[in-house]
Amino acid sequence: MANTALPSRSSLAERLDVLPFTRRHLRLLTGSGLGWALDAMDVGLISFILAALTQQWGLTKGEAGWIASVGFIGMAIGATLGGLLADRFGRRQVFALTLLVYGIATGASALVGGIAALLVLRFLVGLGLGAELPVASTYVSEFAPARIRGRLIVVLEAFWALGWTAAAVIGFLVIPASDDGWRWAFALGAIPAVYALFVRWRMPESPRWLASRGRIAEADRIVSAFEADAGVGTAPAIRKEPASRAIAVTARARLATLWNPEFRLRTLCLWVVWLGVNFAYYGAFIWIPSILVDAGFDLVRSFGFTLIITLAQLPGYAVAAWLIEVWGRRLTLSVFLLGSAVSAVIFGTATTEGAIIAAGMALSFFNLGAWGALYAVTPEIYPTSLRGTGAGWAAGVGRIASIVAPLSVPVLLIAGGAPLLFAVFGVCFLGAAAAAWGLVDRGGQALDDR
């Protein structure tokens, strides 16, 4: 008689954790990373487009700041809602929805004729992008083998550098080429979303999430497919536990659980890190092209400097990906944040071309390495039943800082110029580095599947 016993949730998790890295892992990583790169390309493009529109439309600093910030308002809302929806309806469905919203709104942005329409569409783009990032890191972390989970999330985050580099190339080659260059930039940003949407629908749902919803048989089929790809065979263990051990089953319960005694400190510290990193990163990188133009460099030269600075993001991710499994999450995160603080202060006081480029490259290296470590640690510190909610709300709260940052930059520049501005960014990085030590480091450990 055939054995129809279903595996337990714990045995499914153990089978995922001991797998070698397979082609299915690679497809899942690249499929998720493609969406991540699109997100970065959009955020990066707006920094170049703002510099061009400021000249073409005669935008004030305040108007340019609102064009940047309204997207982050959408991202804040998208991140909080996306995490809740991912815990309720699954990771893959939310992926597809975010890309659909992003693609339509970005394509429509190429056709706008004024600030009002652009503001509306930037908000909609932000909704899609905001939900994308925390859900993607949660999704990949739930498939990744425990011993390389942190490294894979940093590699996922490295797709951000690829997208931002693509934005810098488009900004350097396309935007200055004609008065409609910024429209072509938006159009180029929308086209790949069609392909990414196709890829996402072919990706499997997270077996950890399926098991948490009592869909053990579906989860087992997905895990078995990964094992077959790796040439591994595992006899299913008989289920001796209830279908669900979730510590929170409703949206309200998930939000409340983030602040119960077990998770209170890690949630608070995580939010502080996200706030500090978002304020400093988006305040700096959204405005760097415009700051360089104001410093006397022409548009093409400013964009060229920004492209060189952006390229330093890739080695930053590579070093963080190696260190995160050697030093651990907290030490890697805090060291890269300290490096970001020092680099920010040096960049703010740099006056020569060589010093500007060198300090900017150091800021890119350390800042993006810190982002990689932060995205690795964020989903790991929560159990499966509220992992999407915890990651989404941390990202959403962080977006509050990214909304305030572009609006604060003009004020700080007037008050004390670039030295004051980047000193403030340095303080934000230092605060985030201190808060990182309140996080839980689960490097090499199994995820909490409650």
Side-chain angles (χ1 to χ4, degrees), residues 42-135:
D42 179 86
V43 176
L45 279 175
I46 200 64
S47 68
F48 296 97
I49 289 170
L50 279 178
L53 287 183
T54 297
Q55 294 186 350
Q56 190 177 133
W57 286 3
L59 298 178
T60 66
K61 291 292 186 186
E63 289 171 334
W66 272 110
I67 291 174
S69 288
V70 74
F72 294 123
I73 294 173
M75 291 176 79
I77 297 172
T80 53
L81 292 179
L84 287 167
L85 291 173
D87 281 338
R88 174 65 181 85
F89 298 106
R91 308 340 186 184
R92 188 182 66 171
Q93 284 80 351
V94 177
F95 273 166
L97 179 61
T98 61
L99 280 169
L100 185 62
V101 172
Y102 157 79
I104 293 173
T106 301
S109 298
L111 306 175
V112 300
I115 296 175
L118 184 57
L119 288 172
V120 172
L121 289 170
R122 291 305 304 166
F123 174 78
L124 293 175
V125 168
L127 283 178
L129 297 187
E132 159 79 20
L133 299 179
V135 176

Side-chain angles (χ1 to χ4, degrees), residues 61 283 287 290-291 294 406-422 425:
K61 291 292 186 186
W287 279 97
S290 297
I291 290 172
D294 290 344
L407 298 174
S408 303
V409 168
V411 177
L412 291 170
L413 285 173
I414 292 171
L420 174 62
L421 175 66
F422 282 87
F425 294 154

